[in-house]
Amino acid sequence: MDPAAAFNELPDPARATGLDELVEQLRLLKIWAGDPSYGTIKDRVNAAWAAAGRPAGELARRSTVADCFRTGRRRFNTDLVVEVVRALHPDTGYVAQWRQALRVLSGESEAASRVRVQDRLPPDPAGFTGRVAELDRLRRAARAGDSVVISAIEGMPGVGKTQLALHAGHVLLREEPFDRVLFVNLRGFHPDPAQPPADPAAVLDGFLRLLGVPGRQLPHGLAARTAAYRERLAGTRTLVVLDDVATAAQVRPLLPATPGCLALITSRRRLGALRPAARLTVDVFTSREAVAYLREAAPGTPVGTDPRAAARIARRCGHLPLALSLVAGHIRGTPGWTLTDHADRLDQRHRERRLDSGVELALALSYQALSVDLRLLLRLAALHPGQDLDAYAAAALTGTGLSTARAGLDRLRDDHLLQQPAPGRYAFHDLVRAHAITRAQDEDRPPDRRAALDRLSGYYVAATAAAMDTLHPAEAHLRPRIAPIVGPLPGLSDPDTALDWLNAERTTLVAIAARGPDPHTVRLSRTLFRYLSGGHLTDALTVHGHAVEAARRAGDTLGQAHALTDLGGVHWRLGRPEDAARHFTESLALFARAGDSDGEARALTSLGIVADRGGRPDEAIGLFERALTLFAAAGNRTGEARTLNNVANVEARRGHTDAATAHWERAMRLFRQAGDRAGEANALNGLGDLEVQAGAFEAAAGRFQRALTLYRQIGNRAGEANILDSLGMLHTRLGHPDQATDLHRLALTMYRETGDRYSEARAHNGLAEAARAAGRFTDALAHHEQALTIADGIGSGDEQARARTGIAEVRQRR
C-alpha cells in the first residue's frame, strides 16, 4: 500500500479533543507509515532508547506498544507514545506537535488562558536590515484594500519572523491609513511546558476589551467572541499582528473578516489550511545581508587584520538573525576589540565547544560576556513561571535591591537577551529562555534554585496580602499572617493601584499557586479568596484545588479546611451543589478536629447556603443559627454579618419582609463598622430588592447605585452583575422593559463569563419577566424554560419555582 496515495497530509494530533481521538490519529499515522507491525514499531523504539542509554530493563514490550493504539485509555505513557510517533515519522517538528497534543490532553493546559494582548506594536527592531523583497510583498498585500488580507511569515526558529513582522508593521503604519493595531504573542512554541499555546478565546477576551467592550458585556464561548470581535472590526482598517502561531485552528478565530484589515501571522509551522494571500517563507540572511546587519548593529567597530572578519562571524552564526543580533550585542559590549578579534574568538570557542548550532554559540558567547551577577539574574529570571516579570520579581529571585534588579534587567535588554513588551515589564525570547534554563540546571545547585523560587513565591504572597489589605481591610484578620519579606514591595496602599496590580499579576499568581512550594500555595489561596470569588471562578478552581492538595501533603489541617471551604464555594457558584456540599462537610469536620470554632461557623454558613438554594429553608436557618452562635462567641462581627445576610435571604423568600429587613439592616451596620465594602454592598442589594417589592422604587434605586459603586471600587464583578440584575427587576416594575432587558443581558453575560450557573438562571428569569411586561410572550417562555433547565440541573429550588410560575402565567396569557 502506498501511504501517499491514501493520505495527502500527515494525521494532525491537534485535531484531537480527547484521548480516544488522539488514538485514532495514531492509528492513521501507523497506516500512513505503511502499517508496520507492533513488533517492528517496538524494535524501532527500543533501538532509539538503547542508543540514548536507557537500561535494558526499561525497554518497551510489544504489548505496551500495542496498548498505545487501544481506545478507552484514561492516561498515556507520554514518553512511549512520543517515541512511537518518532518511529513512524522521525520529523522533529511533527514529533513536537504530538508532544504538545499529549500535554494539552493530559490536563497540563491550565495556563493556556493566560495571555497578554496589546493595542500597539512593540518597538521597531533597531538596526533592521535586509528583507527588501519580503517587505515589498507585504506592502503590495496591504494595499489590496477591498479585501481582507492575511500574510503569513513562516520559517525556522530565530530566523527573524517576529522582527520582520514588527518592522513591516511599523512601515505600514507610516505608509497606510490604519485605524488601530492589535498585537499578541500566541506562544505557539514556548519552551516552558507551563506556558502552552494561548487559548484563542482568552485572546479574544483581551482584544474585545481593547476594542472598548466592557468586561461585563464580553460574550461567552469562542464562537460568540469571534462574532463580536469581527463585528467590532467592521468598517475599520485594523492591523492585527499574531505572533508565534501554533496551528491554523488557534489563529483562525482571531482573523478579521472586514475588507481593508490586514493580519500578519508568524509561525514556525506552515499554515497551509489558512491559504493566506501572501505567504513568506523566511530563510536565514544571505552572507551579504548578514554582514550588512553586523555593520548596522555595531557601527564603528574596526575590522582588524582580516578583511573578511565580518563574513567569518556571520558564517559562525549560521547567518541566523537571532544569533547575529546577540553577537552584535557582544561586539558593542567589548570596546577595543576588532571584528577580527571577535571572529578569532568565535572560531576558538567553536573548536573548544564543538557547538553545531549558530544560535547556541551566540547565546553562549553573549552569556559568557556578562558579569557574574547578570548571568545569575538571567538564569533565575528564566525560572519565573509567568509570561513576563518586573523588577520587583527579579529582586525577589536574586535577593537583591530594586535598583540593582532594574539595572540588571535593562542591561540584559540592551544586550538583546531580554525583550521589553511594555514599560517596566521584561520577557524572554523562547530560545533565550531555553538556553538560560539549561544554564540554571547546569550551574545552580537544586537547593539554590528552590530558594530563589521560594523567595519569588514569598514576594508574591506578601504583595498579594498588601493588595488585599487595601481592598478588603475588614477581613485582614481572617487572612493568614504573612511574614515580612526582606526584599522590596510595590506601593499598593491605593485601592485602584492594588486592584490594577492584582489584575496584571493574576496569571502569574495562579502559576505560583500551581507550582508551590506548599506553604506558599496554601497562604496564597487563602489570601486571594475574596478577589477570586469576585468573578475569576476558573482561576479560583485552580488555585484552591492546588491548595487542598498542598495542605494535605503538608499535614496542614486548618489550611486544608479553609481551602476546601473556598473550593466548595467555587463549585456552588459553578452549579455543582453536591460537590460543594461534600467539600463543606469535609471542611466542617476538619475545623472541628482542629478546634477552630470560627472555621466551623464558616463551613456551617456555606452548608446553609447550599440548603437554602436547594429549597430547604428550615435546614438552612438551623445551620445559620449554629453559625451565628459560633461567630458571636468568637467575636467575628464580619462573619456574623455575612451570616445575617444569608438569614435575611431566606426570610425574604419566605415572605417575612420585616424579619429580612431587620437582619439586613443589622448586617449593614456591622459591615460599615468593620469597613467591609463587599458585605455592605450585599446588604444594600437585599434591602433594595425588598423595596422594589414594596414599590419604593426611588429608595431601591439609591441603594442599588451605592452598592454598584462599592462593588466596582473593589473590582467585584460577581457583585456588580448581581446589582445589574436587580436594577433590571427594578426597571421591569417601573414599566421600562427595554431598559430591564439590557440590564439583565449585561448581568447574564457576566454570569456566563464567570461560570456562575445559579445566577445565570436568575438572569434568565429576569429576562423572561421583562419580556412578559413588554408583551413578548414567546421570548418570555423561552427564557423561563432556559432558567428552569439550569435550575433543575443545579438543584436551585427558588429559581425553579420562579420559572414554573412564570411559565404557567405566560401560557395562561397566551
Side-chain angles (χ1 to χ4, degrees), residues 534-549:
H536 305 290
L537 297 186
T538 301
D539 289 339
L541 201 64
T542 300
V543 170
H544 301 323
H546 281 294
V548 170
E549 294 306 315

Side-chain angles (χ1 to χ4, degrees), residues 772 781 784 801-811:
R772 282 161 51 195
L781 185 62
H784 274 315
R802 185 179 171 192
R804 290 192 177 107
T805 299
I807 289 170
E809 290 181 4
V810 170
R811 287 174 175 166

Side-chain angles (χ1 to χ4, degrees), residues 14 45 50 122 128 172 221 288 307 416 454 523 535 538 573 575 580 670 746:
V45 168
F128 187 90
L172 291 172
R288 180 175 297 178
H416 300 277
D454 186 69
R523 294 188 192 103
T538 301
R573 294 276 299 283
L670 291 173
L746 287 175

Side-chain angles (χ1 to χ4, degrees), residues 119 203 240 279 329 343 503 567 574 578 606 623 645 663 705:
D119 58 358
V203 176
V240 183
R279 181 189 302 281
N503 289 337
L567 185 61
L574 292 172
E578 293 181 358
S606 300
L623 290 163
N645 264 350
H663 287 307
Q705 189 57 54

Side-chain angles (χ1 to χ4, degrees), residues 279-308:
R279 181 189 302 281
L280 285 74
T281 301
V282 183
D283 202 350
V284 297
F285 281 150
T286 65
S287 178
R288 180 175 297 178
E289 287 174 333
V291 171
Y293 176 86
L294 282 173
R295 287 173 178 161
E296 287 282 339
T301 304
V303 174
T305 59
D306 182 2
R308 294 187 52 80

Side-chain angles (χ1 to χ4, degrees), residues 325-337:
S325 70
L326 294 167
V327 167
H330 177 64
I331 292 173
R332 292 192 300 271
T334 50
W337 284 43

Side-chain angles (χ1 to χ4, degrees), residues 473-498:
E475 296 184 341
H477 66 289
L478 301 177
R479 291 187 286 271
R481 293 183 178 178
I482 307 301
I485 63 169
V486 175
L489 282 175
L492 300 172
S493 58
D494 174 70
D496 290 340
T497 303

